[in-house]
Amino acid sequence: MRKARKAPVLDPGDRARLLAGEHHDPHGVLGAHPVKGGVVIRVLRPWAKEVAVLTKGKRLAMDDDGDGLFSVFVPLLRKVPAYELRVRYDGDEMPVHDPYRFLPSLGELDLHLIGEGRHEELWTALGSQPMTHEGVAGTRFAVWAPNARGVRVTGDFTHWDGTALPMRSLGSTGVWELFVPGIGEGAVYKYDIARPDGSHTLRADPMARRTECPPNTASIVTASHHAWEDAEWMERRGARPAHEAPISVYEVHLPSWRPGLTYRELAEQLPAYVRDLGFTHVELMPVTEHPFGGSWGYQVTGFYAPTARMGTPDDFRFLVDALHRAGIGVLMDWVPAHFPKDDWALAEFDGRPLYEHEDPRRSHHPDWGTLEFDYGRKEVRNFLVANAVYWCQEFHIDGLRVDAVASMLYLDYSREHGEWVPNEFGGRENLDAVRFLQEMNATVYRRCPGVVTFAEESTAWDGVTRATDQVGPGGFGGLGFGMKWNMGWMHDSLEYMQKEPVHRKYHHHEMTFSMVYAYSENYILPISHDEVVHGKRSLVSKMPGDWWQQRANHRAYLGFMWAHPGKQLLYMGQEFAQGGEWSVDHGPDWWLLDPAYGAEADHRGVRDLVRDLNTVYAATPSLWERDTVPEGFQWVVGDAADDNVFAFLRYDAFGAPLLAVCNFSPVVRHDYRIGVPDAFAAWAEVLNTDAARYGGSDVVGTDPVKTESVPWHGRTSSVRMTLPPLATVWLRPA
């Protein structure tokens, strides 16, 4: 084997920075470079015993320069030749491509958009991307770390020694990049970041699209191979505006719905269960990766990765696909409000505040011990906006329920005087967060037809579901959400229902007040996970009375909820009147539906009611077509406080009515007169929550009730009917 003469000595400063992982341009030192009289090739291969270069049909042994550095001088060459390496460690010699012979694998357009904070498909540029670059298969690693003195990629392919793979800085964007030949799907990795103070931190990839299963924390190189079969669903999902469509949501915490099931096993059971009960959508509590299961997914460390607890990203795609093929929309909780402080994740990612605000009064979340995003930084805003698009585009998610919006909107949220800084106008509004939410909504609606965004916003912020270009009385454009959770309705109605019937007349207004503001936003009525944990008791256990009365109240409330303007959401376990609070450790109490259990019929009856509520609801446009306009609702009687009775009419776009009558008293009310429109000769029950098959006392109207020319409730006509105890009755013109 011929040996070339020695290469020039590497500059001591370059050598020191390279070995310390602090070199901004390792490609300027490593790889092949023309010098006077030829070309020098230099590689960094820690632990290698020997390294040789193959070029132009010749094998050239490289000199061992110490510390894993090897070099060779090739004379008489005017330009850099094509070459490969042969590396021997303790065993056989390995053929490898040199990562430092490749040009950058990120294009100028990508870098420009990243620099502008406008890369709407950011996940295609940053993170790990298996690819073929300059004819060689490998993986591109790219990470945003503008404060870093240096970044290296390390993983199972380097035996977790990051020395060999320093990344290059791509100018002012703060992006570091390296194409590593021979690395493909399944490789496990992290970034070794040299902080501004010279110390090092080992970090998971913020853009990782797959992660190790907790408690392990590394990122995994991945690519999707799922073949979607939901084209019909995707084509028609936006045919009707969401606020004019039937939406009935079953909220699910996937890891505990049926504990131990994988995404693919869930795909065999969840769509069938939800479809049988007639829900139009499921809402999945955050499926994004999170280190602590007890957070239910709301403290996210992997914003671009479905949790590995139940399978791979393609396994999650398979579940979404199965739900779509069953005719069920998929909503997903999305958490852009905060992130945990784990030292391997986003917190001070490159040694300084990066994703979080640099002012602790703007970054530290007082309620959850987490960090809030810096919405004023364009790259952070881009990270989150692209993330919203990512889930809708890559996983066919139909809607994003945005968590904790109020905590984002107010600078003084859960903070005392002196603990927050006013905005530039002296106000408490977080103007950066407002702009972020507007940009996110506008971008999602533009890029993802048919997708709907939902705000969990617990205050009276004006214009949550108003268009972003329409300025309200407060001087702000709308936030641009499609719908908002009606937290006021939820709190007021549950406060009423928890009272003994004898006391309810003093709280009557709590059931009617929602109609004062019902059309200020596009609402969804949520009975969510938050209402059935932490000592709040399950829905049926909130109800007063004995077991029969609790179930009757539960059923009557659901009947009222499904008839009230607004879409509805019910958390798992409440559809069959689970008595115990939900627990993340064991999920719903499915044993209550076991025929061997003595009270199984009680729970199955409630579930049968939910199925019928959804069936009648979906078939009755009066209950959903005009949810957001006053023409869709009329009170018949809203002031019968002494009777604990409410009655109202719902109308569809053609004026067809449905009459809902609720008796929240435990007594049967005979010959109760209700004012009705005089255009209809009779009214027939279409649903009665007191039916025996639901576990009720079976005070049902088998025959239509005839309209009489007796003025009542301000109308010229009325009907006499028997109101069952603790029940809701729906009637339509016979």
Side-chain angles (χ1 to χ4, degrees), residues 406-453:
S407 75
M408 302 164 63
L409 290 174
Y410 297 99
L411 296 167
D412 62 345
Y413 186 88
S414 287
R415 292 176 172 90
E416 301 297 331
H417 180 72
E419 295 178 346
W420 61 282
V421 182
N423 64 33
E424 60 200 81
F425 303 107
R428 58 196 285 255
E429 301 87 1
N430 188 336
L431 303 180
D432 292 335
V434 171
R435 287 188 283 265
F436 156 66
L437 290 170
Q438 291 173 330
E439 181 183 345
M440 181 277 296
N441 279 311
T443 305
V444 166
Y445 278 99
R446 172 170 50 82
R447 292 191 62 105
C448 308
V451 167
V452 185
T453 58

Short mmCIF file of all heavy atoms in Angstrom, two decimals, residues 406-453:
data_model
loop_
_atom_site.label_atom_id
_atom_site.label_comp_id
_atom_site.label_asym_id
_atom_site.label_seq_id
_atom_site.Cartn_x
_atom_site.Cartn_y
_atom_site.Cartn_z
N ALA A 406 -56.61 30.92 27.96
CA ALA A 406 -56.64 32.08 28.87
C ALA A 406 -55.28 32.35 29.47
O ALA A 406 -54.88 33.51 29.64
CB ALA A 406 -57.69 31.86 29.96
N SER A 407 -54.54 31.30 29.80
CA SER A 407 -53.22 31.49 30.41
C SER A 407 -52.24 32.13 29.43
O SER A 407 -51.24 32.73 29.83
CB SER A 407 -52.65 30.17 30.91
OG SER A 407 -52.19 29.35 29.85
N MET A 408 -52.53 32.01 28.14
CA MET A 408 -51.69 32.63 27.13
C MET A 408 -52.06 34.09 26.91
O MET A 408 -51.20 34.92 26.64
CB MET A 408 -51.83 31.87 25.80
CG MET A 408 -51.48 30.39 25.88
SD MET A 408 -52.09 29.46 24.45
CE MET A 408 -51.16 30.21 23.14
N LEU A 409 -53.34 34.41 27.04
CA LEU A 409 -53.83 35.73 26.65
C LEU A 409 -53.54 36.83 27.66
O LEU A 409 -53.48 38.00 27.30
CB LEU A 409 -55.34 35.67 26.41
CG LEU A 409 -55.80 34.88 25.18
CD1 LEU A 409 -57.32 34.78 25.16
CD2 LEU A 409 -55.30 35.54 23.90
N TYR A 410 -53.37 36.44 28.94
CA TYR A 410 -53.26 37.45 29.99
C TYR A 410 -51.88 37.41 30.65
O TYR A 410 -51.44 36.36 31.15
CB TYR A 410 -54.34 37.25 31.05
CG TYR A 410 -55.74 37.41 30.51
CD1 TYR A 410 -56.50 36.29 30.18
CD2 TYR A 410 -56.30 38.67 30.32
CE1 TYR A 410 -57.78 36.43 29.67
CE2 TYR A 410 -57.58 38.82 29.82
CZ TYR A 410 -58.32 37.70 29.49
OH TYR A 410 -59.59 37.84 28.99
N LEU A 411 -51.21 38.53 30.66
CA LEU A 411 -49.89 38.62 31.29
C LEU A 411 -49.97 38.43 32.80
O LEU A 411 -48.99 38.01 33.42
CB LEU A 411 -49.27 39.99 30.98
CG LEU A 411 -48.96 40.26 29.50
CD1 LEU A 411 -48.65 41.74 29.29
CD2 LEU A 411 -47.80 39.40 29.03
N ASP A 412 -51.11 38.73 33.40
CA ASP A 412 -51.25 38.61 34.85
C ASP A 412 -51.96 37.32 35.26
O ASP A 412 -52.41 37.20 36.39
CB ASP A 412 -52.01 39.82 35.41
CG ASP A 412 -53.43 39.92 34.87
OD1 ASP A 412 -53.75 39.24 33.87
OD2 ASP A 412 -54.23 40.70 35.45
N TYR A 413 -52.05 36.37 34.35
CA TYR A 413 -52.74 35.11 34.65
C TYR A 413 -52.08 34.42 35.84
O TYR A 413 -50.90 34.08 35.82
CB TYR A 413 -52.72 34.19 33.43
CG TYR A 413 -53.54 32.94 33.59
CD1 TYR A 413 -54.88 32.92 33.26
CD2 TYR A 413 -52.96 31.77 34.08
CE1 TYR A 413 -55.64 31.76 33.41
CE2 TYR A 413 -53.70 30.61 34.23
CZ TYR A 413 -55.05 30.62 33.90
OH TYR A 413 -55.80 29.47 34.05
N SER A 414 -52.84 34.23 36.92
CA SER A 414 -52.37 33.58 38.16
C SER A 414 -51.16 34.29 38.77
O SER A 414 -50.38 33.69 39.50
CB SER A 414 -52.02 32.10 37.92
OG SER A 414 -53.19 31.35 37.76
N ARG A 415 -51.01 35.57 38.47
CA ARG A 415 -49.89 36.33 39.02
C ARG A 415 -50.41 37.49 39.86
O ARG A 415 -51.41 38.11 39.52
CB ARG A 415 -48.99 36.87 37.91
CG ARG A 415 -48.23 35.78 37.15
CD ARG A 415 -47.43 36.37 35.99
NE ARG A 415 -46.56 35.38 35.37
CZ ARG A 415 -46.89 34.60 34.37
NH1 ARG A 415 -48.11 34.66 33.87
NH2 ARG A 415 -46.03 33.73 33.86
N GLU A 416 -49.71 37.77 40.94
CA GLU A 416 -50.09 38.86 41.83
C GLU A 416 -49.45 40.17 41.33
O GLU A 416 -48.60 40.18 40.44
CB GLU A 416 -49.62 38.57 43.26
CG GLU A 416 -50.21 37.29 43.86
CD GLU A 416 -51.70 37.34 44.01
OE1 GLU A 416 -52.24 38.47 44.19
OE2 GLU A 416 -52.35 36.27 43.93
N HIS A 417 -49.87 41.26 41.94
CA HIS A 417 -49.30 42.57 41.61
C HIS A 417 -47.78 42.54 41.80
O HIS A 417 -47.27 42.05 42.80
CB HIS A 417 -49.92 43.66 42.49
CG HIS A 417 -49.39 45.03 42.22
ND1 HIS A 417 -49.70 45.74 41.07
CD2 HIS A 417 -48.53 45.82 42.94
CE1 HIS A 417 -49.07 46.90 41.10
NE2 HIS A 417 -48.36 46.98 42.21
N GLY A 418 -47.06 43.05 40.83
CA GLY A 418 -45.60 43.05 40.88
C GLY A 418 -44.96 41.82 40.29
O GLY A 418 -43.73 41.78 40.15
N GLU A 419 -45.78 40.80 39.95
CA GLU A 419 -45.25 39.56 39.39
C GLU A 419 -45.41 39.50 37.87
O GLU A 419 -45.10 38.48 37.26
CB GLU A 419 -45.95 38.36 40.02
CG GLU A 419 -45.68 38.21 41.50
CD GLU A 419 -46.41 37.03 42.13
OE1 GLU A 419 -47.33 36.47 41.47
OE2 GLU A 419 -46.07 36.65 43.26
N TRP A 420 -45.90 40.59 37.29
CA TRP A 420 -46.07 40.61 35.84
C TRP A 420 -45.76 42.00 35.30
O TRP A 420 -45.77 42.98 36.03
CB TRP A 420 -47.48 40.17 35.44
CG TRP A 420 -48.58 41.05 35.97
CD1 TRP A 420 -49.09 41.06 37.24
CD2 TRP A 420 -49.30 42.06 35.25
NE1 TRP A 420 -50.08 42.00 37.37
CE2 TRP A 420 -50.24 42.62 36.15
CE3 TRP A 420 -49.26 42.54 33.95
CZ2 TRP A 420 -51.11 43.64 35.78
CZ3 TRP A 420 -50.13 43.55 33.57
CH2 TRP A 420 -51.05 44.09 34.47
N VAL A 421 -45.49 42.03 34.00
CA VAL A 421 -45.11 43.28 33.33
C VAL A 421 -46.19 43.64 32.32
O VAL A 421 -46.53 42.83 31.46
CB VAL A 421 -43.76 43.13 32.61
CG1 VAL A 421 -43.36 44.44 31.96
CG2 VAL A 421 -42.69 42.66 33.58
N PRO A 422 -46.75 44.86 32.40
CA PRO A 422 -47.78 45.26 31.43
C PRO A 422 -47.24 45.29 30.00
O PRO A 422 -46.03 45.37 29.77
CB PRO A 422 -48.19 46.66 31.89
CG PRO A 422 -47.75 46.74 33.32
CD PRO A 422 -46.53 45.89 33.43
N ASN A 423 -48.16 45.25 29.04
CA ASN A 423 -47.76 45.35 27.65
C ASN A 423 -47.39 46.79 27.29
O ASN A 423 -47.44 47.69 28.14
CB ASN A 423 -48.83 44.79 26.72
CG ASN A 423 -50.13 45.59 26.77
OD1 ASN A 423 -50.15 46.81 26.97
ND2 ASN A 423 -51.25 44.89 26.60
N GLU A 424 -47.04 47.02 26.07
CA GLU A 424 -46.53 48.34 25.66
C GLU A 424 -47.55 49.45 25.82
O GLU A 424 -47.21 50.64 25.84
CB GLU A 424 -46.08 48.28 24.20
CG GLU A 424 -47.18 47.89 23.23
CD GLU A 424 -46.66 47.38 21.91
OE1 GLU A 424 -46.28 46.19 21.84
OE2 GLU A 424 -46.61 48.18 20.96
N PHE A 425 -48.84 49.06 25.95
CA PHE A 425 -49.88 50.07 26.14
C PHE A 425 -50.35 50.14 27.59
O PHE A 425 -51.33 50.80 27.90
CB PHE A 425 -51.07 49.75 25.23
CG PHE A 425 -50.71 49.68 23.78
CD1 PHE A 425 -50.66 48.46 23.12
CD2 PHE A 425 -50.38 50.82 23.07
CE1 PHE A 425 -50.32 48.38 21.77
CE2 PHE A 425 -50.03 50.76 21.72
CZ PHE A 425 -49.99 49.54 21.08
N GLY A 426 -49.66 49.43 28.47
CA GLY A 426 -50.01 49.42 29.87
C GLY A 426 -51.08 48.43 30.24
O GLY A 426 -51.55 48.41 31.39
N GLY A 427 -51.48 47.58 29.31
CA GLY A 427 -52.55 46.61 29.56
C GLY A 427 -52.06 45.26 30.01
O GLY A 427 -50.86 44.98 30.03
N ARG A 428 -53.01 44.39 30.32
CA ARG A 428 -52.69 43.05 30.81
C ARG A 428 -52.72 42.00 29.70
O ARG A 428 -52.42 40.83 29.93
CB ARG A 428 -53.67 42.65 31.92
CG ARG A 428 -55.13 42.69 31.50
CD ARG A 428 -56.06 42.69 32.70
NE ARG A 428 -56.14 41.39 33.32
CZ ARG A 428 -57.19 40.56 33.18
NH1 ARG A 428 -58.24 40.92 32.45
NH2 ARG A 428 -57.19 39.40 33.78
N GLU A 429 -53.09 42.40 28.49
CA GLU A 429 -53.18 41.45 27.39
C GLU A 429 -51.80 41.10 26.86
O GLU A 429 -50.95 41.97 26.68
CB GLU A 429 -54.03 42.04 26.25
CG GLU A 429 -55.44 42.41 26.64
CD GLU A 429 -55.55 43.81 27.21
OE1 GLU A 429 -54.50 44.52 27.28
OE2 GLU A 429 -56.66 44.22 27.59
N ASN A 430 -51.60 39.83 26.59
CA ASN A 430 -50.34 39.38 25.99
C ASN A 430 -50.47 39.53 24.47
O ASN A 430 -51.01 38.66 23.79
CB ASN A 430 -50.04 37.93 26.36
CG ASN A 430 -48.66 37.48 25.91
OD1 ASN A 430 -48.09 38.03 24.97
ND2 ASN A 430 -48.12 36.48 26.58
N LEU A 431 -49.99 40.65 23.95
CA LEU A 431 -50.18 40.96 22.54
C LEU A 431 -49.44 39.97 21.64
O LEU A 431 -49.90 39.67 20.53
CB LEU A 431 -49.71 42.38 22.25
CG LEU A 431 -50.38 43.48 23.09
CD1 LEU A 431 -49.83 44.85 22.71
CD2 LEU A 431 -51.90 43.44 22.92
N ASP A 432 -48.32 39.46 22.11
CA ASP A 432 -47.59 38.45 21.33
C ASP A 432 -48.42 37.18 21.19
O ASP A 432 -48.47 36.58 20.11
CB ASP A 432 -46.26 38.12 22.01
CG ASP A 432 -45.28 39.28 21.98
OD1 ASP A 432 -45.39 40.13 21.08
OD2 ASP A 432 -44.40 39.33 22.86
N ALA A 433 -49.08 36.76 22.27
CA ALA A 433 -49.90 35.56 22.22
C ALA A 433 -51.11 35.77 21.32
O ALA A 433 -51.52 34.85 20.59
CB ALA A 433 -50.35 35.17 23.63
N VAL A 434 -51.69 36.96 21.36
CA VAL A 434 -52.83 37.27 20.48
C VAL A 434 -52.41 37.10 19.03
O VAL A 434 -53.08 36.44 18.23
CB VAL A 434 -53.35 38.69 20.74
CG1 VAL A 434 -54.37 39.09 19.68
CG2 VAL A 434 -53.97 38.78 22.13
N ARG A 435 -51.27 37.69 18.67
CA ARG A 435 -50.80 37.59 17.28
C ARG A 435 -50.48 36.15 16.90
O ARG A 435 -50.74 35.72 15.77
CB ARG A 435 -49.58 38.50 17.08
CG ARG A 435 -49.94 39.99 17.04
CD ARG A 435 -48.74 40.84 16.65
NE ARG A 435 -47.82 41.00 17.76
CZ ARG A 435 -47.83 42.03 18.61
NH1 ARG A 435 -48.73 42.99 18.47
NH2 ARG A 435 -46.94 42.12 19.58
N PHE A 436 -49.90 35.41 17.83
CA PHE A 436 -49.61 34.00 17.55
C PHE A 436 -50.88 33.22 17.27
O PHE A 436 -50.97 32.46 16.29
CB PHE A 436 -48.84 33.36 18.71
CG PHE A 436 -49.00 31.88 18.77
CD1 PHE A 436 -48.48 31.07 17.77
CD2 PHE A 436 -49.71 31.27 19.80
CE1 PHE A 436 -48.65 29.69 17.80
CE2 PHE A 436 -49.89 29.90 19.83
CZ PHE A 436 -49.36 29.11 18.83
N LEU A 437 -51.89 33.36 18.12
CA LEU A 437 -53.13 32.59 17.94
C LEU A 437 -53.81 32.98 16.63
O LEU A 437 -54.37 32.12 15.93
CB LEU A 437 -54.06 32.82 19.13
CG LEU A 437 -53.59 32.20 20.45
CD1 LEU A 437 -54.44 32.68 21.62
CD2 LEU A 437 -53.62 30.67 20.37
N GLN A 438 -53.77 34.25 16.30
CA GLN A 438 -54.35 34.68 15.03
C GLN A 438 -53.61 34.06 13.85
O GLN A 438 -54.23 33.57 12.90
CB GLN A 438 -54.32 36.21 14.94
CG GLN A 438 -55.28 36.90 15.91
CD GLN A 438 -55.11 38.40 15.93
OE1 GLN A 438 -54.00 38.92 15.70
NE2 GLN A 438 -56.18 39.13 16.20
N GLU A 439 -52.29 34.06 13.92
CA GLU A 439 -51.50 33.47 12.84
C GLU A 439 -51.73 31.97 12.74
O GLU A 439 -51.86 31.42 11.64
CB GLU A 439 -50.01 33.76 13.06
CG GLU A 439 -49.12 33.20 11.96
CD GLU A 439 -47.64 33.43 12.20
OE1 GLU A 439 -47.29 34.26 13.07
OE2 GLU A 439 -46.83 32.77 11.52
N MET A 440 -51.77 31.31 13.90
CA MET A 440 -51.99 29.86 13.89
C MET A 440 -53.33 29.52 13.24
O MET A 440 -53.41 28.66 12.35
CB MET A 440 -51.93 29.33 15.33
CG MET A 440 -52.13 27.83 15.46
SD MET A 440 -53.87 27.28 15.48
CE MET A 440 -54.46 28.06 16.99
N ASN A 441 -54.40 30.19 13.68
CA ASN A 441 -55.71 29.88 13.14
C ASN A 441 -55.79 30.19 11.65
O ASN A 441 -56.29 29.38 10.86
CB ASN A 441 -56.79 30.66 13.90
CG ASN A 441 -57.15 30.00 15.22
OD1 ASN A 441 -57.42 28.81 15.27
ND2 ASN A 441 -57.16 30.77 16.29
N ALA A 442 -55.28 31.34 11.26
CA ALA A 442 -55.33 31.71 9.85
C ALA A 442 -54.56 30.71 8.99
O ALA A 442 -55.00 30.33 7.89
CB ALA A 442 -54.77 33.12 9.66
N THR A 443 -53.41 30.27 9.48
CA THR A 443 -52.59 29.34 8.72
C THR A 443 -53.24 27.97 8.61
O THR A 443 -53.27 27.36 7.53
CB THR A 443 -51.19 29.22 9.35
OG1 THR A 443 -50.60 30.51 9.49
CG2 THR A 443 -50.28 28.34 8.50
N VAL A 444 -53.77 27.48 9.71
CA VAL A 444 -54.42 26.16 9.70
C VAL A 444 -55.62 26.16 8.77
O VAL A 444 -55.80 25.24 7.95
CB VAL A 444 -54.82 25.74 11.12
CG1 VAL A 444 -55.78 24.55 11.09
CG2 VAL A 444 -53.59 25.39 11.94
N TYR A 445 -56.46 27.19 8.85
CA TYR A 445 -57.65 27.22 8.01
C TYR A 445 -57.29 27.38 6.53
O TYR A 445 -57.98 26.85 5.65
CB TYR A 445 -58.58 28.35 8.46
CG TYR A 445 -59.45 27.94 9.63
CD1 TYR A 445 -59.11 28.29 10.93
CD2 TYR A 445 -60.60 27.18 9.43
CE1 TYR A 445 -59.89 27.90 12.00
CE2 TYR A 445 -61.39 26.79 10.49
CZ TYR A 445 -61.04 27.16 11.78
OH TYR A 445 -61.82 26.76 12.84
N ARG A 446 -56.20 28.08 6.25
CA ARG A 446 -55.78 28.24 4.86
C ARG A 446 -55.19 26.97 4.29
O ARG A 446 -55.46 26.60 3.14
CB ARG A 446 -54.76 29.39 4.77
CG ARG A 446 -54.10 29.53 3.40
CD ARG A 446 -53.30 30.81 3.28
NE ARG A 446 -52.39 31.01 4.39
CZ ARG A 446 -51.19 30.44 4.50
NH1 ARG A 446 -50.76 29.61 3.56
NH2 ARG A 446 -50.41 30.68 5.53
N ARG A 447 -54.39 26.27 5.09
CA ARG A 447 -53.66 25.12 4.57
C ARG A 447 -54.43 23.81 4.68
O ARG A 447 -54.13 22.87 3.92
CB ARG A 447 -52.32 24.96 5.32
CG ARG A 447 -51.31 26.06 5.04
CD ARG A 447 -49.97 25.65 5.61
NE ARG A 447 -49.49 24.44 4.95
CZ ARG A 447 -48.52 24.40 4.05
NH1 ARG A 447 -47.94 25.52 3.66
NH2 ARG A 447 -48.14 23.26 3.51
N CYS A 448 -55.37 23.72 5.60
CA CYS A 448 -55.99 22.44 5.91
C CYS A 448 -57.51 22.54 5.81
O CYS A 448 -58.20 22.70 6.84
CB CYS A 448 -55.58 21.97 7.29
SG CYS A 448 -53.79 21.96 7.56
N PRO A 449 -58.08 22.49 4.62
CA PRO A 449 -59.53 22.62 4.47
C PRO A 449 -60.29 21.58 5.30
O PRO A 449 -59.91 20.40 5.33
CB PRO A 449 -59.74 22.39 2.97
CG PRO A 449 -58.44 22.73 2.34
CD PRO A 449 -57.39 22.32 3.34
N GLY A 450 -61.34 22.04 5.96
CA GLY A 450 -62.16 21.14 6.75
C GLY A 450 -61.75 21.02 8.20
O GLY A 450 -62.49 20.46 9.00
N VAL A 451 -60.57 21.53 8.55
CA VAL A 451 -60.11 21.45 9.94
C VAL A 451 -60.79 22.56 10.76
O VAL A 451 -61.03 23.66 10.26
CB VAL A 451 -58.58 21.58 10.01
CG1 VAL A 451 -58.10 21.84 11.44
CG2 VAL A 451 -57.92 20.32 9.46
N VAL A 452 -61.09 22.26 12.02
CA VAL A 452 -61.72 23.21 12.92
C VAL A 452 -60.83 23.37 14.16
O VAL A 452 -60.28 22.38 14.65
CB VAL A 452 -63.12 22.74 13.37
CG1 VAL A 452 -63.81 23.81 14.21
CG2 VAL A 452 -63.97 22.38 12.16
N THR A 453 -60.69 24.58 14.64
CA THR A 453 -59.95 24.81 15.88
C THR A 453 -60.92 25.18 16.99
O THR A 453 -61.88 25.91 16.78
CB THR A 453 -58.90 25.91 15.70
OG1 THR A 453 -59.52 27.14 15.30
CG2 THR A 453 -57.85 25.50 14.68
#
